[in-house]
Coordinates of all heavy atoms in Angstrom, one line a residue:
M1 N -99.5 172.8 -0.7 CA -99.4 174.2 -0.9 C -100.4 174.6 -2.0 O -100.4 174.0 -3.0 CB -98.0 174.7 -1.2 CG -97.9 176.2 -1.4 SD -96.3 176.8 -2.0 CE -95.3 176.2 -0.7
R2 N -101.1 175.7 -1.7 CA -102.0 176.2 -2.7 C -101.7 177.7 -2.8 O -101.6 178.4 -1.8 CB -103.5 176.1 -2.4 CG -103.9 174.6 -2.3 CD -105.4 174.6 -1.9 NE -105.7 173.2 -1.6 CZ -106.8 172.9 -0.9 NH1 -107.6 173.8 -0.4 NH2 -107.0 171.6 -0.6
L3 N -101.5 178.2 -4.0 CA -101.3 179.6 -4.3 C -102.5 180.1 -5.2 O -102.7 179.5 -6.3 CB -100.0 179.9 -5.0 CG -98.7 179.4 -4.2 CD1 -97.5 179.6 -5.1 CD2 -98.6 180.1 -2.9
L4 N -103.2 181.1 -4.8 CA -104.3 181.6 -5.5 C -104.1 183.0 -5.9 O -103.8 183.9 -5.0 CB -105.6 181.4 -4.7 CG -106.9 181.9 -5.3 CD1 -107.2 181.0 -6.6 CD2 -108.0 181.8 -4.3
G5 N -104.2 183.4 -7.1 CA -104.2 184.8 -7.6 C -105.5 185.4 -7.3 O -106.5 185.1 -8.0
I6 N -105.6 186.3 -6.4 CA -106.8 187.0 -6.0 C -107.4 187.7 -7.2 O -108.6 187.7 -7.4 CB -106.6 187.9 -4.8 CG1 -106.2 187.2 -3.6 CG2 -107.9 188.8 -4.6 CD1 -107.2 186.2 -3.1
D7 N -106.6 188.4 -8.0 CA -107.2 189.2 -9.1 C -107.8 188.3 -10.2 O -108.8 188.6 -10.8 CB -106.1 190.0 -9.8 CG -105.6 191.1 -8.8 OD1 -106.3 191.5 -7.9 OD2 -104.4 191.6 -9.0
S8 N -107.2 187.1 -10.4 CA -107.7 186.2 -11.4 C -108.6 185.1 -10.9 O -109.2 184.4 -11.6 CB -106.5 185.6 -12.2 OG -105.8 184.7 -11.3
D9 N -108.5 184.9 -9.6 CA -109.2 183.8 -8.9 C -108.9 182.5 -9.5 O -109.7 181.5 -9.6 CB -110.8 184.0 -9.0 CG -111.5 183.1 -8.0 OD1 -110.9 182.9 -6.9 OD2 -112.7 182.8 -8.3
K10 N -107.6 182.3 -9.9 CA -107.1 181.1 -10.4 C -105.8 180.7 -9.7 O -105.1 181.5 -9.1 CB -106.7 181.3 -11.9 CG -108.0 181.5 -12.8 CD -107.6 181.6 -14.2 CE -108.9 181.9 -15.1 NZ -108.5 182.0 -16.5
A11 N -105.5 179.4 -9.7 CA -104.3 178.9 -9.1 C -103.1 179.4 -9.9 O -103.1 179.6 -11.1 CB -104.3 177.4 -9.1
V12 N -102.0 179.7 -9.1 CA -100.7 180.1 -9.7 C -99.7 179.0 -9.2 O -99.9 178.5 -8.1 CB -100.3 181.5 -9.4 CG1 -101.2 182.5 -10.0 CG2 -100.2 181.7 -7.9
S13 N -98.7 178.8 -9.9 CA -97.7 177.8 -9.5 C -96.5 178.4 -8.9 O -95.8 177.6 -8.2 CB -97.3 176.9 -10.7 OG -96.7 177.7 -11.7
Q14 N -96.2 179.6 -9.1 CA -95.0 180.3 -8.6 C -95.3 181.7 -8.2 O -96.1 182.4 -8.8 CB -93.9 180.3 -9.6 CG -93.4 178.9 -9.9 CD -92.2 179.0 -10.9 OE1 -91.7 180.0 -11.2 NE2 -91.9 177.8 -11.5
T15 N -94.7 182.2 -7.1 CA -94.8 183.5 -6.8 C -93.5 184.0 -6.0 O -92.7 183.1 -5.7 CB -96.0 183.8 -5.8 OG1 -96.2 185.2 -5.6 CG2 -95.9 183.1 -4.5
Q16 N -93.3 185.2 -5.9 CA -92.1 185.7 -5.2 C -92.7 186.6 -4.0 O -93.7 187.3 -4.2 CB -91.2 186.5 -6.0 CG -90.5 185.7 -7.1 CD -89.6 186.5 -8.0 OE1 -89.8 187.7 -8.2 NE2 -88.5 185.8 -8.4
L17 N -92.0 186.6 -2.9 CA -92.4 187.3 -1.7 C -91.3 188.2 -1.2 O -90.2 187.6 -0.9 CB -92.9 186.3 -0.7 CG -93.5 186.9 0.6 CD1 -94.7 187.7 0.3 CD2 -93.8 185.7 1.5
Y18 N -91.5 189.5 -1.1 CA -90.4 190.4 -0.6 C -91.0 191.1 0.6 O -92.0 191.8 0.5 CB -90.0 191.4 -1.7 CG -89.5 190.8 -2.9 CD1 -90.3 190.5 -4.0 CD2 -88.1 190.4 -3.0 CE1 -89.8 189.9 -5.1 CE2 -87.6 189.8 -4.1 CZ -88.5 189.6 -5.2 OH -88.0 189.0 -6.4
L19 N -90.5 190.9 1.8 CA -91.0 191.4 3.0 C -90.0 192.3 3.7 O -88.8 192.0 3.6 CB -91.4 190.3 4.0 CG -92.4 189.3 3.5 CD1 -92.5 188.1 4.5 CD2 -93.7 189.9 3.2
I20 N -90.4 193.4 4.3 CA -89.6 194.1 5.2 C -89.5 193.3 6.5 O -90.3 192.4 6.8 CB -90.0 195.6 5.4 CG1 -91.4 195.6 6.1 CG2 -90.0 196.3 4.1 CD1 -91.9 197.0 6.4
T21 N -88.5 193.7 7.4 CA -88.4 193.0 8.7 C -89.6 192.9 9.5 O -90.0 191.9 10.0 CB -87.2 193.6 9.5 OG1 -86.0 193.6 8.7 CG2 -86.9 192.8 10.7
K22 N -90.3 194.0 9.6 CA -91.6 194.1 10.4 C -92.6 193.1 9.8 O -93.2 192.4 10.6 CB -92.1 195.5 10.3 CG -93.5 195.7 10.9 CD -93.9 197.2 10.7 CE -95.4 197.4 10.9 NZ -95.8 198.7 10.6
E23 N -92.7 193.0 8.5 CA -93.7 192.0 7.9 C -93.3 190.6 8.1 O -94.1 189.7 8.4 CB -93.8 192.4 6.4 CG -94.4 193.7 6.2 CD -94.2 194.2 4.8 OE1 -93.3 193.7 4.1 OE2 -94.9 195.2 4.4
A24 N -92.0 190.3 8.0 CA -91.4 189.0 8.2 C -91.7 188.5 9.6 O -92.1 187.4 9.9 CB -90.0 188.9 7.8
N25 N -91.4 189.4 10.6 CA -91.7 189.1 12.0 C -93.1 188.8 12.2 O -93.5 187.9 13.0 CB -91.2 190.2 12.9 CG -89.7 190.2 13.0 OD1 -89.0 189.1 13.0 ND2 -89.1 191.4 13.2
Q26 N -94.0 189.6 11.6 CA -95.5 189.3 11.8 C -95.8 188.0 11.2 O -96.6 187.2 11.8 CB -96.3 190.5 11.1 CG -97.8 190.3 11.4 CD -98.1 190.5 12.8 OE1 -97.7 191.5 13.5 NE2 -98.9 189.6 13.4
L27 N -95.3 187.7 10.1 CA -95.6 186.4 9.4 C -95.1 185.2 10.3 O -95.9 184.3 10.5 CB -94.9 186.3 8.1 CG -95.0 185.0 7.3 CD1 -96.5 184.7 7.0 CD2 -94.2 185.0 6.0
I28 N -93.9 185.3 10.9 CA -93.5 184.3 11.8 C -94.4 184.1 13.0 O -94.8 183.0 13.4 CB -92.0 184.6 12.3 CG1 -91.1 184.4 11.1 CG2 -91.6 183.7 13.4 CD1 -89.7 185.0 11.4
K29 N -94.7 185.2 13.6 CA -95.6 185.2 14.8 C -97.0 184.6 14.4 O -97.5 183.7 15.2 CB -95.8 186.7 15.3 CG -96.7 186.8 16.4 CD -96.9 188.3 16.8 CE -98.0 188.4 17.8 NZ -98.3 189.8 18.1
D30 N -97.5 185.0 13.3 CA -98.8 184.5 12.9 C -98.8 183.0 12.6 O -99.7 182.2 13.0 CB -99.4 185.2 11.7 CG -99.8 186.6 12.0 OD1 -99.9 187.0 13.2 OD2 -100.1 187.4 11.1
L31 N -97.7 182.5 11.9 CA -97.6 181.1 11.6 C -97.5 180.3 12.8 O -98.0 179.2 12.9 CB -96.5 180.9 10.6 CG -96.7 181.4 9.2 CD1 -95.4 181.2 8.3 CD2 -97.9 180.7 8.5
Q32 N -96.7 180.8 13.8 CA -96.6 180.1 15.1 C -97.9 179.9 15.8 O -98.3 178.9 16.3 CB -95.6 180.8 16.0 CG -94.1 180.6 15.5 CD -93.2 181.4 16.3 OE1 -93.5 182.5 16.9 NE2 -91.9 181.0 16.4
S33 N -98.7 181.0 15.7 CA -100.1 180.9 16.3 C -101.0 180.0 15.6 O -101.7 179.2 16.2 CB -100.7 182.4 16.3 OG -102.0 182.3 16.7
L34 N -100.9 180.0 14.3 CA -101.7 179.0 13.5 C -101.3 177.6 13.7 O -102.1 176.7 13.8 CB -101.6 179.4 12.0 CG -102.3 180.7 11.5 CD1 -101.9 181.0 10.1 CD2 -103.8 180.6 11.7
L35 N -100.0 177.4 13.8 CA -99.5 176.0 14.1 C -99.9 175.5 15.5 O -100.0 174.3 15.7 CB -98.0 176.0 13.9 CG -97.4 176.0 12.5 CD1 -95.9 176.3 12.5 CD2 -97.8 174.7 11.8
A36 N -100.0 176.4 16.4 CA -100.4 176.0 17.8 C -101.8 175.3 17.8 O -102.1 174.5 18.7 CB -100.4 177.2 18.7
D37 N -102.6 175.7 16.9 CA -104.0 175.1 16.7 C -104.3 174.9 15.3 O -105.1 175.7 14.7 CB -105.0 175.9 17.5 CG -106.4 175.2 17.5 OD1 -106.5 174.1 17.1 OD2 -107.3 175.9 18.0
S38 N -103.7 174.0 14.6 CA -103.7 173.8 13.2 C -105.1 173.4 12.7 O -105.4 173.5 11.5 CB -102.7 172.9 12.7 OG -102.9 171.6 13.2
E39 N -106.0 172.9 13.5 CA -107.3 172.5 13.1 C -108.3 173.6 13.3 O -109.5 173.4 13.0 CB -107.7 171.3 13.9 CG -106.8 170.1 13.7 CD -106.9 169.5 12.3 OE1 -108.0 169.5 11.7 OE2 -105.8 169.1 11.8
A40 N -107.9 174.8 13.7 CA -108.9 175.9 14.0 C -109.5 176.5 12.8 O -110.5 177.3 12.9 CB -108.2 177.0 14.9
A41 N -109.0 176.3 11.6 CA -109.5 176.8 10.4 C -109.5 178.4 10.4 O -110.5 179.0 10.0 CB -110.9 176.3 10.0
E42 N -108.4 179.0 10.9 CA -108.3 180.4 11.0 C -107.4 180.9 9.9 O -106.7 180.1 9.3 CB -107.8 180.8 12.3 CG -108.7 180.6 13.5 CD -108.2 181.1 14.8 OE1 -107.2 181.8 14.8 OE2 -108.7 180.7 15.8
H43 N -107.4 182.2 9.6 CA -106.5 182.7 8.6 C -106.0 184.1 9.2 O -106.6 184.6 10.1 CB -107.1 182.9 7.3 CG -108.1 183.9 7.2 ND1 -109.4 183.8 7.6 CD2 -108.0 185.2 6.7 CE1 -110.1 184.9 7.4 NE2 -109.3 185.8 6.8
R44 N -104.9 184.6 8.6 CA -104.3 185.9 9.0 C -104.0 186.7 7.8 O -104.0 186.2 6.7 CB -103.0 185.6 9.8 CG -103.1 184.8 11.0 CD -103.8 185.6 12.1 NE -103.6 184.9 13.4 CZ -104.3 183.9 13.9 NH1 -105.3 183.4 13.2 NH2 -104.1 183.4 15.1
H45 N -103.8 188.0 8.0 CA -103.4 188.9 6.9 C -102.3 189.8 7.4 O -102.2 190.1 8.6 CB -104.6 189.9 6.6 CG -105.9 189.2 6.2 ND1 -106.1 188.8 4.9 CD2 -107.0 188.9 6.9 CE1 -107.3 188.3 4.9 NE2 -107.8 188.3 6.1
I46 N -101.5 190.2 6.4 CA -100.5 191.2 6.6 C -100.7 192.2 5.6 O -100.8 191.9 4.4 CB -99.0 190.7 6.5 CG1 -98.7 189.7 7.6 CG2 -98.0 191.8 6.6 CD1 -97.3 189.1 7.5
F47 N -100.8 193.5 6.0 CA -101.0 194.6 5.0 C -99.7 195.4 5.0 O -99.1 195.7 6.0 CB -102.1 195.5 5.4 CG -103.5 194.8 5.4 CD1 -104.0 194.1 6.5 CD2 -104.2 194.8 4.2 CE1 -105.2 193.5 6.4 CE2 -105.4 194.2 4.1 CZ -105.9 193.5 5.2
S48 N -99.3 195.9 3.8 CA -98.1 196.8 3.7 C -98.5 198.1 4.4 O -99.7 198.4 4.5 CB -97.7 197.0 2.3 OG -98.8 197.6 1.5
D49 N -97.5 198.8 4.8 CA -97.7 200.1 5.5 C -98.5 201.1 4.6 O -99.4 201.8 5.1 CB -96.4 200.8 5.8 CG -95.7 200.1 7.0 OD1 -96.4 199.3 7.8 OD2 -94.5 200.3 7.2
D50 N -98.4 201.0 3.3 CA -99.1 201.9 2.4 C -100.5 201.4 2.0 O -101.2 202.0 1.3 CB -98.3 202.3 1.2 CG -97.9 201.1 0.3 OD1 -98.4 200.0 0.6 OD2 -97.2 201.3 -0.6
G51 N -100.8 200.1 2.4 CA -102.1 199.5 2.1 C -102.2 199.0 0.7 O -103.2 198.5 0.3
E52 N -101.1 199.1 -0.1 CA -101.1 198.6 -1.5 C -101.1 197.1 -1.6 O -101.5 196.6 -2.6 CB -100.0 199.3 -2.3 CG -100.1 200.8 -2.4 CD -101.2 201.2 -3.4 OE1 -101.4 200.5 -4.4 OE2 -101.9 202.1 -3.0
C53 N -100.5 196.4 -0.7 CA -100.3 195.0 -0.7 C -100.9 194.3 0.5 O -100.9 194.8 1.6 CB -98.8 194.6 -0.8 SG -98.0 195.3 -2.3
M54 N -101.3 193.1 0.3 CA -101.9 192.3 1.3 C -101.5 190.8 1.1 O -101.5 190.3 0.0 CB -103.4 192.4 1.4 CG -104.1 191.7 2.5 SD -104.6 190.0 2.2 CE -105.8 190.3 0.9
I55 N -101.1 190.1 2.2 CA -100.9 188.7 2.1 C -102.0 188.0 3.0 O -102.2 188.5 4.2 CB -99.5 188.3 2.6 CG1 -98.4 188.9 1.9 CG2 -99.4 186.7 2.6 CD1 -97.1 188.8 2.5
S56 N -102.6 187.0 2.6 CA -103.6 186.3 3.4 C -103.1 184.8 3.4 O -102.7 184.3 2.4 CB -105.0 186.3 2.7 OG -105.9 185.5 3.5
Y57 N -103.1 184.2 4.6 CA -102.6 182.9 4.7 C -103.3 182.1 5.8 O -103.8 182.7 6.7 CB -101.0 182.9 5.0 CG -100.6 183.9 6.0 CD1 -100.5 183.6 7.3 CD2 -100.4 185.2 5.6 CE1 -100.1 184.6 8.2 CE2 -100.0 186.2 6.5 CZ -99.9 185.9 7.8 OH -99.5 186.8 8.7
S58 N -103.3 180.8 5.6 CA -103.9 179.9 6.6 C -103.2 178.5 6.4 O -102.4 178.3 5.5 CB -105.4 179.7 6.3 OG -105.6 179.2 5.0
L59 N -103.5 177.6 7.4 CA -103.0 176.3 7.3 C -104.1 175.4 6.7 O -105.3 175.6 7.0 CB -102.6 175.7 8.6 CG -101.5 176.5 9.3 CD1 -101.2 175.8 10.7 CD2 -100.2 176.5 8.5
I60 N -103.7 174.5 5.8 CA -104.7 173.6 5.3 C -104.4 172.2 5.8 O -103.2 171.8 6.1 CB -104.7 173.6 3.7 CG1 -103.4 173.3 3.2 CG2 -105.3 174.9 3.2 CD1 -103.3 173.2 1.7
T61 N -105.4 171.4 5.9 CA -105.2 170.0 6.4 C -105.6 169.1 5.2 O -106.8 169.0 4.9 CB -106.1 169.7 7.6 OG1 -105.8 170.6 8.6 CG2 -105.9 168.3 8.1
P62 N -104.7 168.4 4.6 CA -105.0 167.5 3.5 C -105.9 166.4 4.0 O -105.8 165.9 5.1 CB -103.7 167.0 3.1 CG -102.6 167.9 3.6 CD -103.2 168.5 4.9
T63 N -106.9 166.1 3.1 CA -107.8 165.0 3.4 C -107.3 163.7 2.8 O -106.7 163.7 1.7 CB -109.2 165.3 3.0 OG1 -109.2 165.5 1.6 CG2 -109.8 166.5 3.7
E64 N -107.5 162.6 3.4 CA -107.1 161.3 2.9 C -108.2 160.8 1.9 O -109.3 160.9 2.2 CB -106.9 160.3 4.0 CG -105.8 160.6 5.0 CD -104.4 160.6 4.4 OE1 -104.2 159.7 3.5 OE2 -103.6 161.4 4.8
T65 N -107.8 160.4 0.7 CA -108.7 159.8 -0.2 C -108.5 158.4 -0.5 O -107.5 157.8 -0.3 CB -108.7 160.7 -1.6 OG1 -107.4 160.6 -2.1 CG2 -109.1 162.1 -1.3

């Protein structure tokens, strides 16, 4: 898991997420779509109704070292 603070462009270790039902349902739908083709390197966004907040998410594939 990677969490990135967009404002600071730095990694963060913890965050809290509060979603309304509509947003939670969209997140579930989007994650199912991303999981269906996890190698597609796509991402999704959810915007709050007022446009003040945005979540961006994607699946990452760890590389073996």
Side-chain angles (χ1 to χ4, degrees):
M1 178 186 301
R2 295 179 191 160
L3 301 173
L4 181 63
I6 296 296
D7 294 336
S8 66
D9 197 30
K10 294 183 180 177
V12 295
S13 61
Q14 296 181 12
T15 188
Q16 294 180 330
L17 182 61
Y18 301 94
L19 303 173
I20 61 174
T21 303
K22 173 182 162 184
E23 295 161 345
N25 284 325
Q26 185 65 50
L27 179 60
I28 291 168
K29 178 182 169 188
D30 288 350
L31 289 174
Q32 288 173 333
S33 173
L34 290 170
L35 284 166
D37 188 4
S38 62
E39 298 295 324
E42 294 183 12
H43 71 281
R44 302 286 195 280
H45 301 276
I46 294 177
F47 294 90
S48 61
D49 287 341
D50 62 6
E52 292 291 319
C53 298
M54 184 268 300
I55 303 169
S56 177
Y57 43 95
S58 62
L59 297 181
I60 56 174
T61 305
T63 57
E64 298 293 326
T65 58

